Amino acid sequence: MKKIISLMVTFVFVLGFIACEDNDNLEFTVQAPQDSVAFTNTLLNEYIITPQTSGNIAERFVWNSVVFIGTATEVTYDLQVSITQDFASFESLGTTNDTHMSVTVDKLLALAETAGLDNDPTTDDKPNMGLVYFRVRAFVGNGGTDAPESISDIMVMNITLPEITQGSGIEISSWGIVGSGYNDWGNAGPDAPFYTTNTANVLVAYVTLLDGEIKLRENNEWTNNLGDDGADGTLEVGGANIVSSAGTYKITLDLNTNTYTIESYSWGIIGSGFNDWGNDGPDAEFHYDYTTDTFKVGVKLLDGEIKFRLNNNWTTNYGGTDGNLAAGGDNIVSTAGFYQVTIDFNNNTYTIEANDVWGIIGSGYNDWGNNGPDFNFTQVNPGIYIANNVTLLDGEIKFRLNEDWTTNFGDDGNDGTLEAEGANIPSTAGKFRITMDLSDNSNPTYTISSL
């Protein structure tokens, strides 16, 4: 839309005793910009939004800078959003003199509610997917209806609210793993949990152990604990410590027979789309999510191909097409970006969904980004993020979103509570498990446990 304001200014010149009978009318025109304002960012195919990520940035809108001919007034940009494509009714998300503005997930959640979307699968009249529309207006002056302006083309965003499910039926059991091989006998955090399975009294844990010893105990206390006197896989009440070796394992506890097994178990992503088929570091490690009985990893992928493999070797590996897993199957095409990747062995499926990924940066890890990418967290339960096997240095660290400083956390009081753009967190050389709990937006916390 282009509007032209003509300013008619009459100058009367009186020179000595000579008066001009006619005034000279000079016209100055504030014209539309040389180039119309237009978005320069590209949207994802789908934006999956949940209350657990409400504080995250959903998208950063970027547009070109425009100049209005005939005025030196600074240009103002107004980012607008509507739930209808005709913008018959719209909301201003804010004005700025910059050429970018971020939109958070909580704003999209509010728009979804206004548009009549919800995540309840029983409300047939309220879908969980819909479209919202964005445009940017550039103007000078007070922005009134007479102000010269330029309005961009409309950008369409597809948002999805994942429907509520009934859960996996898997629960955290009362049993856990304690020892020098895991948590310094309870001095370095809670015991590693066992989870229920579809078989009564058969429990499973997915855990990274150290060289040392472990025992199995109930409720994080010693009242009821099990060891192995003969190192033969049979458990005895109060029995001997079980020797552990550094690695990642699946431990199965059968309380029906008082037996246990420990097997190497770690799923990861390998490929030209992540680590140059293993030549550029270890595979991206999956973490178990008991709420869905699946394995997940938050990861930054590259343009290329990937596969999933067990224990960082090719003996057991999966590829696939169209979201279906196949043993030894085709490589899976990957596109550069940040994702949550999920593998579901109950249904032999996988999903690769664009998602925000938190990471660890600092002099205590990657020289503030100068020595490689951030170490990624994985959201294993709603609002709960884990970074496992993190090798830290003496220095400082922070947590940031999508390898960008727009959204970052530090700790002003060094008390385990996170603050937006807070102080750097001191780090000590060693290997650690770091957990962020963002389930309560008003009180985000973190823990750093030695491995």
Side-chain angles (χ1 to χ4, degrees), residues 28-47:
F28 294 85
T29 303
V30 178
Q31 302 176 2
Q34 293 171 312
D35 296 312
S36 298
V37 66
F39 288 114
T40 58
N41 61 298
T42 302
L43 295 186
L44 301 173
N45 293 329
E46 180 184 30
Y47 289 77

Side-chain angles (χ1 to χ4, degrees), residues 267-309:
W267 285 98
I269 295 176
I270 187 174
S272 59
F274 177 68
N275 63 347
D276 188 25
W277 297 106
N279 296 313
D280 190 23
D283 300 357
E285 181 184 355
F286 282 88
H287 300 275
Y288 180 64
D289 175 8
Y290 80 95
T291 64
T292 57
D293 196 22
T294 61
F295 292 86
K296 297 178 177 179
V297 60
V299 64
K300 179 183 179 182
L301 295 180
L302 309 172
D303 291 331
E305 297 179 319
I306 60 171
K307 296 192 80 172
F308 313 130
R309 65 176 184 171

Side-chain angles (χ1 to χ4, degrees), residues 177-182 185 207 209-216 226-235 239-247 249 251 260-263:
I177 300 164
V178 66
S180 59
Y182 179 71
W185 298 106
V207 61
L209 298 179
L210 307 172
D211 291 331
E213 297 178 318
I214 60 171
K215 295 192 78 172
L216 315 180
L226 301 171
D228 184 356
D229 286 335
D232 57 1
T234 300
L235 294 165
N241 297 344
I242 301 166
V243 175
S244 63
S245 299
Y249 299 93
I251 302 179
Y260 71 100
T261 58
I262 301 179
E263 57 183 305

Side-chain angles (χ1 to χ4, degrees), residues 64-84:
N64 62 300
S65 176
V66 296
V67 176
F68 286 83
I69 301 171
T71 179
T73 304
E74 192 170 26
V75 177
T76 301
Y77 302 94
D78 181 17
L79 182 62
Q80 301 171 349
V81 63
S82 177
I83 60 174
T84 61

Side-chain angles (χ1 to χ4, degrees), residues 10 18-19 27 105 110 124 162 214 216 268 280 311-312 332 339 425:
T10 302
I18 302 173
E27 183 178 275
V105 172
D124 295 334
I214 60 171
L216 315 180
D280 190 23
N311 298 332
N312 287 276
I332 300 166
Y339 298 91
I425 301 167

Side-chain angles (χ1 to χ4, degrees), residues 15-227:
L15 299 176
F17 297 98
I18 302 173
C20 294
E21 294 182 359
D22 297 322
N23 293 323
D24 293 330
N25 292 328
L26 304 178
E27 183 178 275
F28 294 85
T29 303
V30 178
Q31 302 176 2
Q34 293 171 312
D35 296 312
S36 298
V37 66
F39 288 114
T40 58
N41 61 298
T42 302
L43 295 186
L44 301 173
N45 293 329
E46 180 184 30
Y47 289 77
I48 299 173
I49 56 176
T50 65
Q52 289 77 23
T53 59
S54 61
N56 293 351
I57 292 174
E59 181 59 61
R60 178 181 293 175
F61 289 87
V62 184
W63 49 86
N64 62 300
S65 176
V66 296
V67 176
F68 286 83
I69 301 171
T71 179
T73 304
E74 192 170 26
V75 177
T76 301
Y77 302 94
D78 181 17
L79 182 62
Q80 301 171 349
V81 63
S82 177
I83 60 174
T84 61
Q85 191 167 8
D86 61 6
F87 272 76
S89 175
F90 63 87
E91 177 185 353
S92 171
L93 297 178
T95 58
T96 179
N97 299 124
D98 295 323
T99 55
H100 58 84
M101 185 179 295
S102 297
V103 176
T104 57
V105 172
D106 58 353
K107 173 51 68 177
L108 294 184
L109 288 168
L111 289 167
E113 183 178 1
T114 302
L117 309 181
D118 72 12
N119 61 356
D120 186 347
T122 66
T123 54
D124 295 334
D125 60 326
K126 291 187 175 183
N128 72 314
M129 300 175 62
L131 303 177
V132 291
Y133 306 89
F134 293 86
R135 69 184 186 186
V136 61
R137 176 189 180 222
F139 62 90
V140 294
N142 60 12
T145 56
D146 293 331
E149 65 177 17
S150 175
I151 297 179
S152 72
D153 289 338
I154 294 170
M155 183 171 276
V156 185
M157 176 182 285
N158 181 17
I159 58 175
T160 298
L161 284 70
E163 291 186 336
I164 299 172
T165 63
Q166 298 302 313
S168 64
I170 306 298
E171 298 178 348
I172 300 176
S173 79
S174 59
W175 285 88
I177 300 164
V178 66
S180 59
Y182 179 71
N183 62 348
D184 188 24
W185 298 106
N187 296 313
D191 299 354
F194 279 95
Y195 302 98
T196 62
T197 67
N198 294 326
T199 303
N201 297 318
V202 176
L203 311 176
V204 65
Y206 301 94
V207 61
T208 298
L209 298 179
L210 307 172
D211 291 331
E213 297 178 318
I214 60 171
K215 295 192 78 172
L216 315 180
R217 66 176 183 173
E218 196 168 18
N219 298 320
N220 284 269
E221 57 187 29
W222 290 106
T223 304
N224 194 11
N225 72 89
L226 301 171

